[in-house]
Amino acid sequence: MLAVAENELLVRVGPDSPGGALLRRYWHPVLKASVLEAGGEPLHVRLLGEDFVAFRSPDGELGFIEEGCPHRRVSLSLARNEACGLRCIFHGWVVGRDGAVVEAPSEPAERGNFASKVRTRRFHVREAAGLVWAFIGDGAPAPFPAFPFTALPVDHIDVAEVPGACNWAQLLEGQIDSAHISHLHASSATISTNPSIAAALTDKAPRFEVRNTPWGFHVGAVRTLPDGRYYTRVTEFVMPYYQGIAPAVPPETDLYDTIPRFIVCQVPLDDEHTTVWYIMWKPSAPIVRGEVGAMWEIWNQEYQAVRGRHKMGQDRALMRAGHFSGINNLLTEDMAVAEGAGPVADRSRETLGTSDTAVARFRRQYLEAIRDNAEGRLPRGLAADTPFALIEGRGVFHREADAWRDALAPELV
Ligand code: FES
Ligand SMILES: [Fe+2]
């Protein structure tokens, strides 16, 4: 259970909040790169309670600036996208990618250099893995989170962009809570194509072991199998909101090199809206949507089809017939329970158990990072030597209760 003030610290992301100040120290994925055409439509981006426009100049370079025109605040998503910058359609002012106003044609010529005195805020932006990433903090940008997928050709990556109408932290807490798989997903996981998740169904009360890392923590959910072995799903949490999820098959199987890897993150748009990015990739081959471990965009489309419906289309007849949740797929189940706690969950009225160990660790670590940031220490996940390229979740079968750590890369233990 969190105190009310701690809950506020956890959920608020706006520019005047301590959590917002922390989150502005990190890069954030904001769009699929393919939606920005050179010289095409500038797009509104909501991030951490602020509004921006992203665009691609006619020469192909990315721009990311404050949304409101510096003249009278009209949305620059309406602007013409010209070689010199975005030309506001209200009075024709032009804002360059560097934030400088390069023309103010509504001003009389005798005002000469008027335009050169006006600027708007512009931000660091880059493209990696078919995504546009933005850094909206002050000063030099953070080390880029160069996860394994960020170095791959785009045909090795499949991304689902999932809108959620609730606070980012409750979506995140759902993802790092491995215990729910055996319950919420009891029916959808059995019919899923994920043998690791199927293994996770055999023991509904896993033992959690959480260890801090310099960039976050890893959590092993250790389950006892009927044959006496153990199966551990290792989730790698990386500040501020990434989770490396165990792939569909464990490393010792022949298929391991051919199945997709998986990272999820919950990017706060504002206190009550979140984009969940499900990023799947194959290290050494193109990925095919719908193959084992690459279902999320298909589920996303099904989710978006039922999103406006009562209880996301929960089907009581299906439940009577034996389906546990009555909800159409894994992803929709996760979104239904996250939004089911309200736009901002009230953590002051919870009752946590031992299966919530990872959730409690996330909260403690995030609140600690807020304090570190406020007091001038480097928050977790911002060190230049963070081994992003090695970070991924693991599903491990083992004979000794604690042996799951043996399967991790030495740099990660
Ligand atoms: S509001 Fe944009 S040019 Fe006037
Ligand atoms: Fe889930």
Side-chain angles (χ1 to χ4, degrees):
M1 186 168 111
L2 282 189
V4 173
E6 290 174 320
N7 197 49
E8 289 286 297
L9 283 173
L10 189 68
V11 301
R12 301 288 168 223
V13 299
D16 301 323
S17 64
L22 172 70
L23 289 165
R24 279 163 176 74
R25 301 283 308 267
Y26 300 86
W27 283 91
H28 303 281
V30 293
L31 286 172
K32 288 187 180 176
S34 58
V35 300
L36 291 178
E37 265 175 60
E41 182 186 352
L43 296 178
H44 167 242
V45 171
R46 181 108 172 124
L47 178 64
L48 305 183
E50 292 191 88
D51 295 292
F52 306 91
V53 281
F55 60 103
R56 208 186 280 279
S57 298
D59 65 2
E61 294 292 320
L62 290 174
F64 198 81
I65 62 177
E66 202 176 334
E67 183 192 16
C69 174
H71 180 210
R72 291 208 344 245
R73 309 303 299 167
V74 165
S75 172
L76 290 172
S77 69
L78 292 165
R80 301 173 59 84
N81 186 353
E82 300 184 356
C84 48
L86 295 185
R87 184 181 296 277
C88 180
I89 59 168
F90 202 178
H91 313 94
W93 289 27
V94 177
V95 184
R97 281 191 297 110
D98 63 356
V101 172
V102 292
E103 269 183 55
S106 58
E107 286 298 298
E110 58 268 27
R111 293 212 60 195
N113 60 357
F114 171 80
S116 68
K117 297 189 190 114
V118 188
R119 296 192 69 83
T120 190
R121 294 194 301 153
R122 60 96 185 200
F123 304 92
H124 297 275
V125 61
R126 59 185 286 175
E127 189 170 340
L131 294 169
V132 175
W133 303 70
F135 180 85
I136 60 166
D138 296 326
F144 184 72
F147 289 111
F149 62 86
T150 61
L152 293 175
V154 288
D155 67 349
H156 287 44
I157 305 163
D158 192 35
V159 175
E161 178 182 3
V162 181
C166 67
N167 183 257
W168 70 286
Q170 68 210 55
L171 281 156
L172 186 156
E173 291 175 353
Q175 197 70 56
I176 55 174
D177 148 30
S178 180
H180 80 274
I181 293 172
S182 322
H183 306 275
L184 177 65
H185 303 317
S187 301
S188 54
T190 344
I191 55 161
S192 91
T193 48
N194 188 327
S196 277
I197 289 183
L201 297 175
T202 56
D203 177 354
K204 293 186 190 304
R207 179 166 51 84
F208 284 89
E209 293 181 26
V210 184
R211 285 262 184 105
N212 281 356
T213 59
W215 47 87
F217 55 85
H218 43 232
V219 46
V222 186
R223 288 177 163 90
T224 310
L225 298 175
D227 64 4
R229 289 184 306 157
Y230 300 90
Y231 174 69
T232 300
R233 279 171 63 85
V234 184
T235 301
E236 289 288 345
F237 175 75
V238 181
M239 278 286 291
Y241 49 43
Y242 300 96
Q243 304 97 57
I245 307 292
V249 298
E252 62 272 21
T253 57
D254 294 343
L255 280 175
Y256 190 65
D257 285 333
T258 66
I259 50 119
R261 311 295 200 261
F262 184 30
I263 278 181
V264 186
C265 62
Q266 295 80 14
V267 179
L269 308 189
D270 53 36
D271 294 346
E272 299 184 359
H273 298 89
T274 304
T275 297
V276 188
W277 294 96
Y278 291 84
I279 302 168
M280 300 143 273
W281 74 95
K282 281 167 85 168
S284 52
I287 194 166
V288 179
R289 181 174 300 163
E291 68 176 295
V292 174
M295 290 295 292
W296 293 91
E297 178 53 21
I298 293 169
W299 290 332
N300 184 27
Q301 288 162 11
E302 293 172 3
Y303 157 65
Q304 296 206 29
V306 298
R307 203 177 164 221
R309 304 218 333 241
H310 180 64
K311 298 183 183 174
M312 294 194 193
Q314 187 185 38
D315 182 342
R316 293 278 156 184
L318 196 61
M319 292 165 84
R320 280 193 294 276
H323 191 283
F324 185 77
S325 74
I327 291 173
N328 72 356
N329 67 40
L330 274 168
L331 183 152
T332 313
E333 286 170 337
D334 284 336
M335 300 307 286
V337 295
E339 291 190 6
V344 176
D346 179 359
R347 292 172 180 76
S348 68
R349 304 190 59 201
E350 292 173 339
T351 313
L352 295 191
T354 53
S355 67
D356 301 302
T357 311
V359 170
R361 182 69 58 98
F362 155 68
R363 295 175 185 176
R364 201 178 326 142
Q365 216 170 68
Y366 186 78
L367 294 172
E368 176 188 278
I370 288 179
R371 253 191 326 275
D372 286 343
N373 187 46
E375 294 169 9
R377 295 181 295 274
L378 189 69
R380 253 177 234 281
L382 290 173
D385 61 355
T386 306
F388 290 109
L390 295 173
I391 289 172
E392 58 179 50
R394 289 285 167 114
V396 186
F397 289 96
H398 50 105
R399 294 192 178 282
E400 304 298 324
D402 291 331
W404 59 272
R405 284 192 200 85
D406 300 345
L408 306 181
E411 296 86 342
L412 300 183
V413 182

